[in-house]
Amino acid sequence: MADGAKLLLWLLLLSSSPWCFCSELDVQCLETLYRSVIDSNGILQSSWTFVDNGTDGYICKFTGVECWHPDENRVLSLRLGNLGLQGPFPQGLQSCTSMIGLDLSSNIFSGPIPADIATQVPYLTSLDLSYNSFSGPIPASISNMTYLNTLNLQHNQFSGEIPRQFDSIGRLTSFNVAENLLSGPIPSSLQKLSASNFAENQGLCGAPLDNCPRRRRWRLRLHRINDESSIGAAVGFVVGFVVAFYFPHWFVFSKRLHPYIFQIWSIPSGNLSANLRRT
């Protein structure tokens, strides 16, 4: 990140939350996160020691923790990729009030992303959840993360549609949802990206992939037409038969109908009634 942009974000975050509580909240953020994940390889356990010895910035020495300044307990980003971490989406992130980067890629996390993720981490510029087992829908609230530039969600088990609200993420320059279970049309603002960013989702359609099918609508219309035609034909047959039987003189002057009128008249009334009952 450029120094100018980093300084601007730092000033913005300072103005949005009281300075005196930030360090305590960031430590609380990491403590809650540590308790909420399964550290099967013991990587976090080896360095995440929450013993405040009076040294400012001691959390900055934790594995995967990057601080705004090495002498301040103020988390800039969490880079926890490929550490063998397991469990649901980590808890406590809302207490990292000035965090702008979150990387949980290549772990064994599972379950849904919190629906209120935009409230928990509103200042993220980069979110990488790729190569996990996250499932469920992609939260539409991500569209409210106005600073988000990078969103990597590939190789998970996300289902449903890509939220249409993603059209409003104006800063988004990198987006990847390949190898999921997504379906439906791709939002228009994302159609300029490469097809590889949407690959291996059998239900996704629209540019840059194949056009969305319209066969279902046509089939539905054809079914309706066939049903209406069948009903109309049946009603017409019944009405014609009744009129021809009870009012045969209407058709006397029609040469085309003479054979049919003769057949009807030639059947005795008793036999006709019996035949009708058998059918």
Side-chain angles (χ1 to χ4, degrees), residues 87-90 104-114 128-137 152-159 179-181:
F89 190 86
L104 302 177
S105 63
S106 300
N107 284 293
I108 320 174
F109 289 113
S110 59
I113 301 177
D128 191 347
L129 305 179
S130 62
Y131 292 90
N132 281 282
S133 296
F134 287 114
S135 59
N152 292 329
L153 303 176
Q154 68 267 30
H155 200 89
N156 279 283
Q157 299 176 21
F158 292 115
S159 58
E179 301 178 31
N180 278 285
L181 305 173

Side-chain angles (χ1 to χ4, degrees), residues 113-168:
I113 301 177
D116 62 343
I117 185 173
T119 304
Q120 294 189 27
V121 284
Y123 300 113
L124 288 187
T125 61
S126 176
L127 176 60
D128 191 347
L129 305 179
S130 62
Y131 292 90
N132 281 282
S133 296
F134 287 114
S135 59
I138 299 175
S141 66
I142 292 179
S143 62
N144 298 324
M145 301 169 70
T146 55
Y147 300 101
L148 195 62
N149 295 321
T150 300
L151 179 59
N152 292 329
L153 303 176
Q154 68 267 30
H155 200 89
N156 279 283
Q157 299 176 21
F158 292 115
S159 58
E161 297 187 358
I162 300 175
R164 298 182 182 274
Q165 293 88 335
F166 278 25
D167 276 333
S168 64

Side-chain angles (χ1 to χ4, degrees), residues 162-169 172 175 184-193 198 205-208 212:
I162 300 175
R164 298 182 182 274
Q165 293 88 335
F166 278 25
D167 276 333
S168 64
I169 310 180
L172 197 61
F175 177 82
I186 297 174
S188 57
S189 65
L190 303 175
Q191 295 180 358
K192 60 184 178 181
L193 300 176
F198 306 95
C205 59
C212 294

Side-chain angles (χ1 to χ4, degrees), residues 2-81:
D3 293 338
K6 184 175 179 179
L7 177 61
L8 179 61
L9 274 174
W10 184 70
L11 293 174
L12 174 65
L13 294 170
L14 283 179
S15 63
S16 65
S17 55
W19 172 264
C20 58
F21 295 110
C22 286
S23 295
E24 296 179 4
L25 285 175
D26 283 37
V27 173
Q28 178 182 340
C29 167
L30 298 184
E31 288 180 333
T32 305
L33 184 151
Y34 179 74
R35 291 193 300 266
S36 69
V37 302
I38 300 174
D39 181 22
S40 56
N41 295 332
I43 296 178
L44 299 185
Q45 183 180 4
S46 63
S47 65
W48 286 38
T49 304
F50 296 95
V51 178
D52 188 356
N53 55 11
T55 302
D56 292 334
Y58 74 95
I59 66 172
C60 304
K61 299 178 182 179
F62 290 2
T63 298
V65 177
E66 182 180 350
C67 294
W68 285 89
H69 191 277
D71 295 330
E72 296 175 0
N73 291 331
R74 191 173 176 85
V75 177
L76 171 67
S77 62
L78 290 176
R79 306 194 180 279
L80 305 177

Side-chain angles (χ1 to χ4, degrees), residues 18 24 30 37 46 57 66 82 87 90 110 129 162 170 174 177 185 195 204 207 215 222 244 251-252 256 260 262:
E24 296 179 4
L30 298 184
V37 302
S46 63
E66 182 180 350
N82 199 26
S110 59
L129 305 179
I162 300 175
S174 178
V177 291
L204 277 184
R215 296 179 181 177
L222 288 175
F251 300 93
V252 170
R256 295 181 180 179
Y260 302 103
F262 176 77

